[in-house]
Amino acid sequence: MIDIRAYFDDIGIDWIDRGKNVSKGAVEINCPFCGLDPSKHLGVWGDYKYGGFHCWVCGEKGSLLKLVMKIEGVGFEKAKKILDSFRKGDFVDDEIEKEKVVNFFFGDYF
């Protein structure tokens, strides 16, 4: 699992984890993909190997790797190293279960 709150705190991104539109276990930030709406509307989950995100305004979605690549302006390998530094606990090793969860919430993983 990735401690996404610690990552956002480390790079100075404000987040919320309460409110009528915040899913249980998720945090919401301003969307770096659409940036048009100043409300926090990008839902981010740190569960499973690399979690995921979904913007409720522009519809952008994907893995935490994709999100970190966008925020940090880095490639895949650098984003993976960044996320690995915020890892806590064990990853889910069951690839089939992870794929079911990711596809349910996010469609394409990357």
Side-chain angles (χ1 to χ4, degrees):
M1 179 150 62
I2 302 298
D3 187 347
I4 198 64
R5 291 167 175 88
Y7 167 69
F8 290 145
D9 288 344
D10 189 62
I11 62 171
I13 290 182
D14 292 330
W15 53 270
I16 58 172
D17 62 358
R18 293 187 189 347
K20 70 176 188 170
N21 296 321
V22 180
S23 299
K24 183 178 180 182
V27 298
E28 302 250 339
I29 64 171
N30 291 335
C31 180
F33 295 94
C34 67
L36 300 175
D37 184 340
S39 66
K40 293 177 176 23
H41 53 270
L42 183 91
V44 183
W45 296 262
D47 299 342
Y48 296 92
K49 189 169 183 177
Y50 285 113
F53 70 92
H54 180 267
C55 178
W56 307 110
V57 173
C58 72
E60 189 70 39
K61 60 186 173 181
S63 70
L64 290 182
L65 286 168
K66 180 178 177 180
L67 181 61
V68 170
M69 289 168 65
K70 174 70 172 178
I71 290 171
E72 303 269 353
V74 298
F76 177 87
E77 289 299 322
K78 178 67 176 174
K80 185 178 181 305
K81 286 180 184 179
I82 291 168
L83 286 175
D84 282 347
S85 71
F86 290 93
R87 180 177 55 174
K88 66 178 189 178
D90 294 328
F91 288 145
V92 170
D93 291 327
D94 183 348
E95 291 298 316
I96 294 171
E97 185 63 24
K98 181 181 75 176
E99 184 176 335
K100 284 185 347 190
V101 171
V102 168
N103 285 334
F104 176 78
F105 282 111
F106 312 109
D108 297 328
Y109 193 52
F110 291 101

